[in-house]
Amino acid sequence: MNRVLVITNRYPCDADDPASPFVPHYVQALKSCGVDVDVLTPRYTHRPRCVEPDFIHRFDTGASSPVGSWNLASPASWMRLRRFVMAGHQLGRQLCQTRSYDHILAMWALPSGEFAYRLSREFGIPYSTWCLGSDIYSWAKKPVIKGQIARVLKESTHVFADGDDLCERVKNWLTINCVFMASFRPLDG
C-alpha cells in the first residue's frame, strides 16, 4: 500500500486547534513508514485559513461549527449537511481523478465513511473505516443515519475501532469483524 487517502471529519489547523489532535500523529506515522498520504478534511469558518502542507486538502463547509455538533432536527442543518457532503465528495473525486490511491481510510463512519463508500464505488478503490466513538455511540442511534453507518461498515474492506467496547458493539450490531486500533499521540508531543 503506497498511496492512501485519509478522510477525516476534523484535522487541526494549528497547534492551538483542539480538532482531533491524534489525527496528524497517525498521518505522520503512516508517512514515516513510507506511505504517501493525502488528507481530505473540512474547513470550518471559525478557524482562520492556515498555511498547511500540500497533502492537506480542505473543502469549504460554510459552517462555523463541526458537523458532529449540528442539530439534525433543524432543516437548516440538513441543508448545511447537503452542502457539506457535496463539497467533500467533489474534492474527493478531484483527488481520486488526479492521484492513484491504493486505499482510502475513513476516520469515523460518518460522514468520512460515506465519502469513502461513494469514492470506492466510483473509482474502485478499497476502503477501511475506523470507528472513533461518536459515530457508533451517538450517530448510530439516529434511525436514518444508523442505516447509512451500517452500509458503510458492511462494505468496508476492514473495520477498526479505538476501543474494545466499541469493537464489540460493532461486531454485535452488524456481525462483521472489527479490529481494535488505538488512536494515539506520542508521549513527547
Side-chain angles (χ1 to χ4, degrees):
M1 190 179 317
N2 294 328
R3 182 170 263 185
V4 174
L5 175 61
V6 172
I7 305 174
T8 178
N9 301 348
R10 310 256 335 255
Y11 194 93
C13 185
D14 56 42
D16 296 326
D17 188 346
S20 306
F22 66 93
V23 177
H25 298 292
Y26 184 78
V27 168
Q28 195 54 48
L30 287 173
K31 286 181 161 297
S32 71
C33 292
V35 178
D36 186 7
V37 180
D38 283 314
V39 176
L40 173 65
T41 191
R43 175 182 293 111
Y44 295 103
T45 58
H46 74 288
R47 300 295 308 173
R49 289 187 184 259
C50 49
V51 176
E52 296 183 294
D54 62 355
F55 66 88
I56 306 294
H57 306 275
R58 292 191 188 266
F59 59 93
D60 287 312
T61 64
S64 60
S65 59
V67 66
S69 67
W70 298 351
N71 174 9
L72 296 183
S74 161
S77 288
W78 281 98
M79 294 302 292
R80 223 179 326 168
L81 185 59
R82 183 172 185 265
R83 284 191 306 269
F84 179 95
V85 169
M86 288 174 59
H89 186 245
Q90 180 180 16
L91 182 53
R93 287 184 82 232
Q94 290 172 1
L95 291 169
C96 289
Q97 287 169 343
T98 59
R99 293 166 165 77
S100 297
Y101 294 112
D102 299 303
H103 202 82
I104 299 171
L105 174 64
M107 297 179 120
W108 286 277
L110 275 184
S112 300
E114 181 66 22
F115 293 142
Y117 170 81
R118 290 179 182 198
L119 295 170
S120 175
R121 290 180 60 94
E122 185 172 351
F123 294 96
I125 305 167
Y127 74 96
S128 297
T129 306
W130 192 3
C131 300
L132 291 160
S134 59
D135 43 6
I136 303 303
Y137 292 129
S138 301
W139 289 80
K141 293 180 180 176
K142 301 175 188 321
V144 173
I145 294 172
K146 182 177 186 174
Q148 285 183 286
I149 291 174
R151 183 195 58 197
V152 163
L153 296 179
K154 286 180 178 181
E155 294 294 323
S156 292
T157 303
H158 303 284
V159 177
F160 305 102
D162 78 338
D164 290 328
D165 178 66
L166 200 51
C167 276
E168 288 306 310
R169 284 181 187 234
V170 170
K171 288 178 188 177
N172 293 336
W173 172 35
L174 299 171
T175 60
I176 60 173
N177 191 35
C178 183
V179 177
F180 172 74
M181 183 164 65
S183 55
F184 71 95
R185 291 186 349 187
L187 294 177
D188 64 351

